[in-house]
Amino acid sequence: MPPTRRACSVPTHLTTTTVDFLGTVPLFSGLSPDELSSFAELTRERSYPRGSVILFENDPGDSLFIVRSGRVKVVLIGEDGREVILGVLGVGQHFGELALIDEQPRSAHVIAMEDSSLIVLRREDFRKRVESSPAVAWSLLAELSRRLRRADDKIGGLVLLDVPGRIARLLLDLSEESGSDQIEKSLTHQTIAQMIGASRETVSRAMKEFQDAGWINVDRRRISVGSRQSLEQRAQVRE
Amino acid sequence: MPPTRRACSVPTHLTTTTVDFLGTVPLFSGLSPDELSSFAELTRERSYPRGSVILFENDPGDSLFIVRSGRVKVVLIGEDGREVILGVLGVGQHFGELALIDEQPRSAHVIAMEDSSLIVLRREDFRKRVESSPAVAWSLLAELSRRLRRADDKIGGLVLLDVPGRIARLLLDLSEESGSDQIEKSLTHQTIAQMIGASRETVSRAMKEFQDAGWINVDRRRISVGSRQSLEQRAQVRE
DNA sequence: TTACAAGCGTGACCAAGGTCACGGGCGCCC
DNA sequence: GGGCGCCCGTGACCTTGGTCACGCTTGTAA
C-alpha cells in the first residue's frame, strides 16, 4: 500500500495551508482563526521517511508533534528487541504532550510507519497557549482522558482475555474508529501481534478461525467485520 | 492493620477543616485561600465502609472524588469474577475525573479497601473551576500525564516481563512511592497478584525466591527492599 | 519474466504459569 | 481455649501460547 504522498507539499514552510490544517485538528477546535494563525507562526514542519525514529524513549524532549500526513507508531522496545505497540497515530493526531506537561523524559519511542510529515511546536510556545486558552486545555484533557481509558482497557484485556479475545476486541475498536465495518488501514499479522502482546503465529491461527467462522472477511490484507456480535461475544471473558 | 479512623470526623459538614484539607491536595496546590474556600463550599463529604463499592463501571457518573481518609482501589472485574487492580489511591488522591471531563460512563469500579471518607464535587461546579483557573487545569493535566505514563508502563510490563519481573517492578515502584526501602502498606499476595495480573500461587513462589535470594525482607506482611539493584535487574527483559 | 522480499499457514515442541487440592500458621471473636 | 476465617506454602497437573522451522503466496523491482 503506497504511502500517502501528495504531489504538492515538500518541506517548504507554507504558512497558509498550515493554518488551514491546524483548523482541522481536534486539539485546536474551538480556536478562532486569529488564534490559529498566531499558533501557526510558532510552528515548524519536518518530514520523516518511513521507519525513521522520531523520538527516543528517555530523551528529554520538549516538543509537541502533530501528524500532518502519514502514520506513526508509539512503541516500547524490550532489550531483547521485542516491540510493543502502544498506539498508532494518524493525520490530525498529536503526541509528545506528556513530556511537555510534566517535564519528564519521553516514555516511549515514536517511529514513522510511512513517510510522514509532522508539525512541531516547542514547549514554551505551547504552554503559554494552553494556559491562556481554556478551550485548548480542555481538549487536551479530553484527549488524555480518552487515552487513559484506552490504556486501562488494554490492561484489562491483557489480563482477562486470551489472544483471540484480544484480537476480537482490537478489531471491534478499529472498525468503530473507522466508522464502518471496513477497517481502513491494512495491518500485517505482525503488527496486530505487537498491538495485543502476542506472537505472529498465534495471530495467524486466530485470524484464520475468525475467517472460517465467517466473523470477518479478509481481502488482500483488508479486514472487514462480518458478525460484530460474534466478535463482541468472543471479546468477553469466558470461564 | 487497623483502618485509619479519626475520632473527630463524622458526616457533619465541617467547612473549616475541609478547606485546610483541600489545601494539602496536590490537585489544588496553587490556589489562593479564597479560591480554596469557595471551592470547599461546593463540597460534600461521604463515608464508605470497607468493601463498599463507591462507583460502578458504566455508571453515568458526574462527580469527582477526593480521598480524605482511608484507601480505595480502582478495579476491572471480568464476568468470571476475576479482579484486576488498576490502581490504589490514598489520602489526597482523586478519581472520577475522566467521566467528568469527557462525559463518558465510568471506566472501572472503585471499591473502598478500608473505611474511607471521601470529598465529593459535582461536575458543573468542578468544570467551572477548571475553566476559570489555569492552575487547576494544569495540575489535572499533570496528574493525567502521570497516570498515562504508569498505564503505558504497565502495558509494557505485562507484555515484556514474566511474573517475577513484574513483581520486582511493582516492589520498586512501591518503595519509590514511599520514599524508603520500606513499603508502607501491607499487601497480601492476593492483592499483589491482582495488581500484576498473575495468580496468588505464582506470586507466593516468586516472593519466596526473592526472600531466599535476600533481595527483599518480609516481616509480618511488611515488605522492605534489600537489594534494589538485583530487583532492577530482574525487572528488565531477559532472553 | 524471473527474482527477491515480505508476509502468511502450519506442524512439532516446550515452558511459564494457571488451576486444584491440601495442610499449616496466625489472629480474632465468642 | 476452641473454632473460624484469612493468608500463605507447595505439589501435581494441564493448557495456552511462545518458539522454531519450514514452505507457500503475493507483491514489487530489475
Side-chain angles (χ1 to χ4, degrees), chain A residues 44 47 73 78 82 88 129 153 184 210 218 223 231:
Chain A
R44 225 154 314 166
S47 342
K73 61 182 175 184
R82 273 183 305 156
V88 173
R129 293 293 148 165
D153 253 32
E184 327 187 345
F210 286 4
V218 181
I223 306 166
L231 284 181

Side-chain angles (χ1 to χ4, degrees), chain A residues 33-191:
Chain A
D34 271 6
E35 291 175 302
L36 275 178
S37 62
S38 83
F39 234 128
E41 282 168 19
L42 305 169
T43 263
R44 225 154 314 166
E45 186 161 345
R46 299 203 48 184
S47 342
Y48 295 83
R50 171 190 175 123
S52 61
V53 179
I54 298 160
L55 51 88
F56 283 93
E57 189 170 349
N58 297 326
D59 269 7
D62 65 341
S63 311
L64 170 78
F65 297 79
I66 303 170
V67 180
R68 175 144 192 195
S69 71
R71 207 162 43 133
V72 304
K73 61 182 175 184
V74 181
V75 296
L76 298 177
I77 304 188
E79 358 206 83
D80 57 354
R82 273 183 305 156
E83 283 190 14
V84 187
I85 299 183
L86 292 176
V88 173
L89 304 177
V91 174
Q93 299 191 279
H94 49 94
F95 60 94
E97 335 69 20
L98 296 200
L100 212 133
I101 292 168
D102 60 13
E103 323 216 354
Q104 296 301 110
R106 322 240 69 139
S107 55
H109 304 263
V110 177
I111 299 176
M113 297 176 79
E114 307 167 358
D115 293 356
S116 301
S117 167
L118 305 178
I119 291 179
V120 188
L121 256 165
R122 306 229 121 229
R123 170 162 31 221
E124 279 318 313
D125 298 332
F126 180 69
R127 190 162 188 152
K128 270 182 221 133
R129 293 293 148 165
V130 171
E131 278 171 353
S132 66
S133 155
V136 175
W138 200 263
S139 342
L140 196 49
L141 281 171
E143 176 61 16
L144 292 190
S145 300
R146 213 179 56 86
R147 290 196 190 165
L148 201 43
R149 281 176 193 276
R150 296 193 138 223
D152 284 346
D153 253 32
K154 201 157 179 173
I155 292 171
L158 282 170
V159 176
L160 296 173
L161 298 177
D162 58 6
V163 171
R166 280 178 261 159
I167 296 180
R169 191 179 273 196
L170 176 68
L171 295 179
L172 288 168
D173 281 359
L174 291 173
S175 89
E176 187 166 339
E177 199 168 288
S178 83
S180 84
D181 285 348
Q182 272 281 338
I183 288 168
E184 327 187 345
K185 288 296 169 184
S186 71
L187 298 170
T188 68
H189 288 181
Q190 178 61 42
T191 304

Side-chain angles (χ1 to χ4, degrees), chain A residues 79 82 102 105 149 160 236, chain B residues 79 102 105 149 160 236:
Chain A
E79 358 206 83
R82 273 183 305 156
D102 60 13
R149 281 176 193 276
L160 296 173
Q236 288 303 109
Chain B
E79 0 205 82
D102 61 12
R149 281 176 193 276
L160 297 173
Q236 288 304 105

Side-chain angles (χ1 to χ4, degrees), chain B residues 41 54-55 62 88 105 116 118 123 168 187 197 212 216 225 228:
Chain B
E41 283 167 18
I54 297 161
L55 51 87
D62 66 341
V88 172
S116 301
L118 305 178
R123 168 159 36 219
L187 297 171
D212 291 350
I216 61 173
V225 174
R228 187 169 302 270

